[in-house]
Amino acid sequence: MTMFNVYLADDHAILRQGLKSLLKGDPELQIAGESGSGRSTIEDLARGGYDLLVLDLSLPDMDGFEVLQEVKRHHPDLPVMILTLYVDAGLANRGIELGASGYVLKEMEPHRIVDTMRCIARGGQFLAPELAASLAGRRASPFKRVSHLEETDFFNQQTTALNARSRITELAIGQLPYGIIVFDAALRPVYLNQAAEVLLASDTGLVLTSGKGLTTALGSESKRLQQLLRQGADQATGSGAMTRNAMRITPCREELHPISAVVVPLSPGQRKKQLLASQPGVMLFLSSLNQSVTGSIALLKSLFDLTGAEAYLAQELVSGRTLEAVTIAKGCSLNTVRNQLKAVFAKTGTSRQADLIRLLNSLPLSTSL
């Protein structure tokens, strides 16, 4: 198992000592260096040998963002996790734009901070859930390929540098409560969020590999899932059509709830704002059947860059309401709602209400298995 050398930059000696105590005996993480000032941090990192920088934003001699910029200038591949007291979406946004891989709040439970350090050291990313919703609505360019899977050369080859805006959206969607896995047209996995990682790590029977793709505990269900994914990819490339987009997956253990799987084609010509917008592919949503995903405004905002009002309108149309009914419910003019609908059309790549409803019905907003 790889041992990651962590450098801790924080002017509070008590916090540094606390983290060292938490990591004592940890099989993957060790504090290999520490400092209470920005300049000392930069000088120490110049000697090399570190795999993760845990950085406080409040240092006595330098602004934390100045340190981050300097570190990224000389060590662009070194993961940086901001650990701070500031619950501020603007600061989180700036940190991500400057190259930080995570924005973590000190108020988190200690074991969660350590788990997040481990995730980021391995190449993952994290955004404090308190800030995810705020950043999800910010305008972002489409996702680039990224993978959080380990020990597979294929996935490492897929990992590319993300531009700052796409990373903001990725971190926000990473906090959604249901699993999301994105495949390219050849059904090779190129992205998964944290909820998907949790499902894969639990006793659901779901296994994701570069060779076999996504398999389930039951062979018959694996075959059916692969058929759904293939149909979705064929529809995205224009070479076929889906006859059904959802199924139920049986977990390994009887006491666990079945898993809902919903497949959504990703067509670059149809969806300018979605993941993998530059190429065709397929997106898989996974959730426990005891978990409600109905009417997820967060999903609509994250995937299509909709405002809160636009996401609400889209959700109401899917539920069967007319524009006039939405106008009365919102207490605004019909002209305002029509303008919002035009914006929804533009962002989702549709031009009619029927097309919009058909698209949104393919998402896990209201799915019957």
Side-chain angles (χ1 to χ4, degrees):
M1 183 176 292
T2 302
M3 177 63 75
F4 296 104
N5 291 323
V6 179
Y7 191 94
L8 180 56
D10 194 295
D11 62 340
H12 291 91
I14 294 178
L15 184 140
R16 300 201 305 269
Q17 185 57 46
L19 275 179
K20 284 193 290 185
S21 298
L22 282 173
L23 295 179
K24 188 175 182 180
D26 190 283
E28 289 186 89
L29 300 170
Q30 64 179 2
I31 302 296
E34 61 178 291
S35 174
S37 73
R39 298 195 184 283
S40 296
T41 296
I42 293 171
E43 292 172 1
D44 290 345
L45 292 177
R47 302 186 182 98
Y50 297 102
D51 305 298
L52 172 67
L53 168 61
V54 177
L55 177 64
D56 185 18
L57 291 181
S58 300
L59 297 173
D61 58 337
M62 293 179 67
D63 179 87
F65 291 123
E66 291 180 285
V67 177
L68 177 58
Q69 284 181 295
E70 189 69 16
V71 168
K72 282 297 178 179
R73 181 160 41 244
H74 297 286
H75 315 281
D77 297 327
L78 178 65
V80 178
M81 183 184 99
I82 295 175
L83 182 61
T84 179
L85 289 170
Y86 301 123
V87 186
D88 189 309
L91 295 180
N93 179 41
R94 186 181 178 193
I96 293 166
E97 290 183 331
L98 292 177
S101 297
Y103 192 94
V104 181
L105 302 179
K106 290 181 178 180
E107 64 186 30
M108 279 177 58
E109 295 179 6
H111 75 275
R112 290 190 61 205
I113 292 178
V114 172
D115 288 343
T116 304
M117 291 170 60
R118 185 175 291 108
C119 170
I120 293 175
R122 292 172 178 173
Q125 298 170 338
F126 183 85
L127 177 65
E130 294 88 342
L131 302 172
S134 298
L135 293 181
R138 293 179 183 267
R139 182 169 299 277
S141 59
F143 277 80
K144 305 295 183 180
R145 291 186 173 193
V146 64
S147 172
H148 297 162
L149 295 182
E150 305 162 21
E151 300 174 354
T152 305
D153 289 339
F154 169 80
F155 293 115
N156 291 333
Q157 293 168 6
Q158 301 304 317
T159 305
T160 60
L162 300 168
N163 71 41
R165 287 300 182 186
S166 67
R167 293 180 66 213
I168 290 171
T169 304
E170 180 198 350
L171 290 173
I173 204 172
Q175 310 302 316
L176 292 175
Y178 30 81
I180 296 177
I181 304 178
V182 178
F183 301 83
D184 64 14
L187 298 187
R188 294 173 298 199
V190 294
Y191 171 82
L192 71 161
N193 69 348
Q194 292 179 8
E197 290 182 352
V198 171
L199 284 171
L200 292 172
S202 59
D203 293 329
T204 57
L206 292 168
V207 177
L208 185 64
T209 64
S210 59
K212 296 183 179 180
L214 186 63
T215 58
T216 68
L218 299 179
S220 59
E221 291 184 353
S222 289
K223 183 177 180 180
R224 185 180 170 201
L225 179 59
Q226 288 301 314
Q227 289 174 341
L228 286 181
L229 291 171
R230 172 43 57 200
Q231 288 180 6
D234 289 344
Q235 180 167 317
T237 57
S239 59
M242 296 193 71
T243 57
R244 187 173 176 82
N245 75 326
M247 66 174 287
R248 182 189 305 243
I249 297 174
T250 305
C252 289
R253 290 164 41 198
E254 292 183 0
E255 63 268 26
L256 296 178
H257 291 276
I259 302 297
S260 164
V262 181
V263 175
V264 179
L266 295 174
S267 172
Q270 182 184 22
R271 295 162 207 173
K272 302 298 184 183
K273 294 292 181 182
Q274 283 193 2
L275 310 181
L276 290 183
S278 61
Q279 59 180 303
V282 63
M283 182 157 47
L284 176 66
F285 291 86
L286 298 168
S287 62
S288 174
L289 283 181
N290 73 326
Q291 174 185 2
S292 173
V293 296
T294 301
S296 175
I297 287 182
L299 175 63
L300 296 175
K301 290 172 65 177
S302 296
L303 293 186
F304 300 107
D305 196 24
L306 302 183
T307 66
E310 292 163 357
Y312 172 81
L313 171 60
Q315 179 181 261
E316 291 299 289
L317 292 176
V318 171
S319 67
R321 280 200 174 190
T322 63
L323 287 181
E324 290 74 14
V326 174
T327 298
I328 295 173
K330 295 181 66 176
C332 58
S333 70
L334 183 59
N335 188 53
T336 297
V337 174
R338 284 173 174 167
N339 287 334
Q340 291 173 351
L341 181 59
K342 289 180 182 178
V344 173
F345 284 157
K347 293 178 180 181
T348 58
T350 57
S351 57
R352 300 182 307 158
Q353 280 187 232
D355 294 334
L356 172 66
I357 292 172
R358 188 178 302 112
L359 166 63
L360 298 185
N361 274 332
S362 71
L363 300 175
L365 302 177
S366 55
T367 302
S368 58
L369 298 177

